[in-house]
Amino acid sequence: NAIAPETLLNDQVVEAVEAWRQAWSKRDMTTYLDAYSDAFTPPDGASREDWIASRYRNVGGRKSIDVQIQRLLVLTPGEGRARVRFLQDYTSGSVRELKRPKTLDLVKGADNRWRIVGEWQGDPPAYAGAGKS
């Protein structure tokens, strides 16, 4: 039985999202930031440099983080790009955000790795991954 190409694609995308989730939960900043494409645009309009600095404060500066994902759905709007929707549970100290809808847009780079180009809580805009990977 051959594996359908879209099944393989979905598995690769899910693996990339799971690696991002684990790196975030472990506060592994190198792996966490490597999950993001150079073309990633912060949703709040911040510069990439300011976003990275804020991630070091908000992720690296916490004693513990637990991120869980439920009801993950992979959509494939085009070759080499995918949109992933899921419910996210985030816990860090006294902060608990449960079942928050989240969307990630990913692109497959020249190195065959899937990386995040867009990230939103709630409803996202039209697909963001038209740029470089």
Side-chain angles (χ1 to χ4, degrees):
N1 290 344
I3 297 174
E6 57 274 2
T7 301
L8 186 59
L9 167 75
N10 286 357
D11 288 349
Q12 292 170 348
V13 171
V14 169
E15 285 174 17
V17 172
E18 177 60 14
W20 164 82
R21 184 199 68 78
Q22 287 183 16
W24 188 7
S25 290
K26 293 175 185 172
R27 300 176 347 270
D28 172 353
M29 293 305 295
T30 301
T31 304
Y32 174 78
L33 291 173
D34 191 49
Y36 291 85
S37 165
D38 290 342
F40 174 75
T41 304
D44 62 2
S47 72
R48 184 168 173 81
E49 295 75 22
D50 287 347
W51 175 80
I52 289 171
S54 78
R55 299 318 294 156
Y56 269 101
R57 283 190 307 275
N58 293 328
V59 175
R62 299 204 180 266
K63 286 185 173 59
S64 70
I65 292 176
D66 180 48
V67 179
Q68 298 298 322
I69 291 174
Q70 304 167 31
R71 294 179 34 201
L72 186 132
L73 175 64
V74 178
L75 309 170
T76 50
E79 188 69 31
R81 60 187 203 172
R83 173 164 275 183
V84 180
R85 291 186 178 150
F86 52 89
L87 296 178
Q88 174 181 291
D89 290 350
Y90 172 91
T91 306
S92 179
S94 63
V95 177
R96 289 177 52 88
E97 300 172 348
L98 303 178
K99 295 188 176 21
R100 294 195 60 191
K102 188 151 199 171
T103 302
L104 301 176
D105 283 348
L106 297 96
V107 295
K108 189 172 188 177
D111 61 358
N112 282 330
R113 289 206 38 221
W114 287 91
R115 288 192 173 85
I116 300 165
V117 291
E119 177 178 8
W120 302 272
Q121 295 284 12
D123 291 329
Y127 184 78
K132 62 182 174 125
S133 62

